[in-house]
Amino acid sequence: MDIGAHSGVTSGRRETRGDVDVEDALAEVVVLGAFCAELIACVALGVPMPFALLVGLAMFCGYGRYRGHGARELARMCADGVCSASGVIQSFILIGALTALWRACGTVSQIVVMVTPLVTPATAPLSVFLLCSLMSFLTGTAFGTSATMGVVSMTMASSMGANPLVCGGAVLAGAYFGDRCSPMSSSALLVRSVTGTRMSDNFKAMMRSSAVPFVGTVAIYAAAGLLLRPSGSFGSASTATALAAYFDQGIVALLPVVPVIVFPLMHIGMKRSMMASIVVAALVCVAFRGIAPMDVAAFSLLGFRASNSLVSRLMSGGGVVSMLNVTAIVCLASSFVGLFEGTGLLDGVRNHMEEVADRITPFGAILAVTVPASMVACNQTLGIMLASQLCENVEPNKRSLALALEDSAVVISPLVPWSIACTAVMTMCGAPSACWVTAVYLWFIPLWHLLCSLRSQRTGRLVPAIVCE
């Protein structure tokens, strides 16, 4: 009787535990679904993103309370997440100052003046994509590319009357070309770290998998430039003349570019490269443009403002203040990291991934996780880490997993309108907020990989475009 009673109690506890698990899983789905729906609605209605993320933070804290965590414990989780983003916030401060001083000292103007004769309105989208791709490959950073070549590209496109939506998408796509595959890219290093693979192997696989998407993107931007070229004269030559006259210091204006390009090639971190560029730009402002040191400091903080109306329309902007909205988004999104880890909000998803992989291929399963993970994470780093944690059992081949993460998490995050990977780039270069729609290369990469993996599953053999060995 004691044995039977004990068995009955044990069975009852097991059933109760099963009910709790079902309730927890349902709560996870409800909270994540409500958060995604709320974000999409806020984007559609034009609600400021920090407010939308605050609502999400309240949802996740409510889930934490449901799981039995106290208010102080939840606050600690949020604080841990924000602390993990301190490096990104520091980078934003440097980028704000850099973008302002490159404008003030004439660096942006000088590059525009040099490049404008080589680019026509009809080739602007393609030229912007190729220039930003080259810069991002050399530096390994999307943010650094956007703050430098992105600003130059959007200024040049604006002066030519080229389509800003298409050119902004070309900036976004080009900025993440190198962020995905450059040997100096922090995201590529992160993928290598979480998968335990070698960078050289990953690099070769990424080059093979991106060949068709890159060629297709070049063709699409070339066609878009021809189809959407502005009618009439937009005076790009006269604009370049006006910029050259306003910033009359010649080739010396290119000195701030040197640290940004040369230092990463010497394996010096991007933060130090940007700090050196800021110092050089400040010296050029004072020594060659006659700007008072106090004005240089004001530009760094509040952004550059030109006295000439035409120049002001093209060149004004930057400054630490311009990055406050993006910084707020980073802090709020990063607080989600601690909450996810502390409350186990995403644990239920991991249990169903192998079933999904059997139906739509391992890459299809990884992509199915990456899209909502990037929507919830709101930043590239967390998206990579979440996808890696949730899908490590789906793709046992580590090199294939590394390529799958590069072709999903790394390029999907910039396509999420409220993600830092998207909003930060658009804010820095002054492109329209909807440019993620026209970032052709970022759409092409995961779609091509998915097509190849589906073909591989159907034919029972590997497709060369995505082979890692």
Side-chain angles (χ1 to χ4, degrees), residues 243-392:
L243 291 175
Y246 188 87
F247 300 94
D248 184 22
Q249 74 278 12
I251 202 71
V252 72
L254 297 180
L255 290 177
V257 177
V258 176
V260 173
I261 295 179
V262 175
F263 282 18
L265 299 177
M266 300 168 61
H267 301 287
I268 298 175
M270 199 60 198
K271 289 182 184 178
R272 293 184 179 181
S273 302
M274 288 191 291
M275 290 176 65
S277 181
I278 289 170
V279 171
V280 174
L283 292 175
V284 172
C285 284
V286 174
F288 294 93
R289 293 214 59 231
I291 301 175
M294 290 300 295
D295 290 335
V296 173
F299 289 154
S300 300
L301 181 63
L302 303 176
F304 173 68
R305 295 293 180 271
S307 56
N308 181 285
S309 60
L310 173 61
V311 175
S312 179
R313 180 175 62 84
L314 294 172
M315 303 297 298
S316 293
V320 175
V321 171
S322 70
M323 304 303 296
L324 291 180
N325 185 66
V326 176
T327 301
I329 295 175
V330 168
C331 291
L332 288 168
S334 298
S335 67
F336 297 167
V337 180
L339 289 172
F340 293 158
E341 293 179 354
T343 63
L345 178 59
L346 299 177
D347 290 348
V349 178
R350 185 182 292 107
N351 300 329
H352 301 286
M353 290 316 303
E354 292 185 12
E355 299 176 9
V356 178
D358 291 337
R359 296 182 180 181
I360 58 174
T361 76
F363 180 74
I366 293 171
L367 192 61
V369 167
T370 301
V371 172
S374 298
M375 294 173 68
V376 172
C378 301
N379 69 83
Q380 192 184 50
T381 299
L382 180 55
I384 293 171
M385 296 178 69
L386 288 177
S388 173
Q389 292 172 3
L390 294 174
C391 300
E392 57 187 355

